[in-house]
Amino acid sequence: MAALVLDGKALAAEVRAGLRDEVDALAAAGARPGLAVVLVGQDPASQVYVRGKARACEEAGIAVFDHKLAKDTREDDLITLVRQLDDDPRVHGILVQLPLPAHLRADRVIAAISPAKDVDAFHPETTGRLFAGTPTFVPCTPAGCMRLLALSGVSLPGARAVVVGRSNIVGKPMAQLLLAAHATVTVCHSQTRELAAEVARADVLVAALGRPEAIRGAWIKEGAVVIDVGINRVEGTKKLVGDVEYAPAAERARAITPVPGGVGPMTIAMLLVNTVQAARQSAR
Ligand code: GUN
């Protein structure tokens, strides 16, 4: 049977529409939610992401404070800007687009954001709270993946969940969210032996390794739910593919996210959710 295609674009539109009333109410009370977006350098992919985030905010009535800095910006100057944004009452969330140029230490820059404005959820205090089971903000991509899993109807308690990838942005927090939802979680990575066998056991698969179609369709368990975080450009074309070989995976899966139009739009929607949450909490 054909897999249910988990339409992240439609779900994201629904999530964004659901924010409208609260944004209007906050704005009417003089506390329009505001997001500062900081981009250092001119990485083309980052420029596309940042533009998408800013556009979605504006459409939702969230104020955007855009800061584009030169590639050779000094770390101290970047941290000074972050602290200024942290002190600005119009700014409820601060996003520093990653990756930063090699001379800048992301951990130092992120540590300068106060946890109350950490809408990306990358600050070590935010991470610690997530891992302790008392989350404040949840990182946007894993939060979006959890919404897509809810849409699939899969029951997570006791399910075998396999996360491929162990990044701080996706793999590690994703594993924590699945664990908090009572799944039995395995995290695979570049040193994993017999990746195919690990994937074949998964009732729920989250692919976040960043290698085009590295997860073969034939590895997918019949009836599994597949969440594909990958966004990879096919060389020399405009075509995007995920980390999962889509067509054969869709023949075996019960539900699967497309690329594009699956996880990507949900990441942006969850950033808006976090920004509105930050504004609500600062208005209290
Ligand atoms: N780079 C890749 N994903 C993200 C994200 O979610 N937030 C930020 N700030 N940078 C990223």
Side-chain angles (χ1 to χ4, degrees), residues 46 49 53 95-99 120 122 140-141 169 267:
S46 290
Y49 293 142
K53 291 171 188 183
L95 181 150
V96 179
Q97 185 65 28
L98 303 180
D120 251 336
F122 294 165
C140 304
T141 298
I169 294 182
T267 295

Side-chain angles (χ1 to χ4, degrees), residues 73-255:
T73 298
R74 292 177 49 239
E75 188 173 277
D76 286 348
D77 292 337
L78 177 57
I79 288 174
T80 300
L81 170 64
V82 167
R83 295 217 169 101
Q84 277 165 5
L85 295 168
D86 217 61
D87 288 336
D88 185 337
R90 300 169 303 165
V91 172
H92 302 102
I94 302 171
L95 181 150
V96 179
Q97 185 65 28
L98 303 180
L100 289 170
H103 68 285
L104 299 171
R105 289 167 290 185
D107 58 337
R108 282 204 63 218
V109 176
I110 288 163
I113 301 171
S114 75
K117 296 194 178 188
D118 180 30
V119 291
D120 251 336
F122 294 165
H123 189 286
E125 183 175 314
T126 314
T127 305
R129 287 186 180 277
L130 180 70
F131 277 52
T134 54
T136 52
F137 296 110
V138 176
C140 304
T141 298
C145 292
M146 292 304 283
R147 297 273 187 122
L148 288 160
L149 285 172
L151 179 67
S152 80
V154 71
S155 171
L156 292 175
R160 287 184 197 276
V162 172
V163 179
V164 186
R166 55 172 156 178
S167 69
N168 289 335
I169 294 182
V170 184
K172 285 187 214 167
M174 189 70 229
Q176 290 302 316
L177 292 173
L178 289 163
L179 194 55
H182 314 292
T184 301
V185 183
T186 301
V187 181
C188 300
H189 46 77
S190 53
Q191 308 274 313
T192 294
R193 291 190 199 119
E194 299 182 37
L195 179 62
E198 298 292 346
V199 168
R201 272 193 287 276
D203 302 311
V204 169
L205 176 72
V206 180
L209 61 161
R211 287 188 22 225
E213 300 178 324
I215 308 286
R216 311 312 293 177
W219 299 354
I220 304 296
K221 181 175 171 177
E222 286 286 341
V225 175
V226 176
I227 306 291
D228 191 346
V229 180
I231 302 179
N232 309 288
R233 193 165 293 280
V234 178
E235 243 184 60
T237 75
K238 287 205 153 158
K239 186 172 150 60
L240 297 177
V241 296
D243 290 350
V244 178
E245 194 191 11
Y246 183 85
E251 278 174 26
R252 305 173 67 86
R254 183 157 80 72

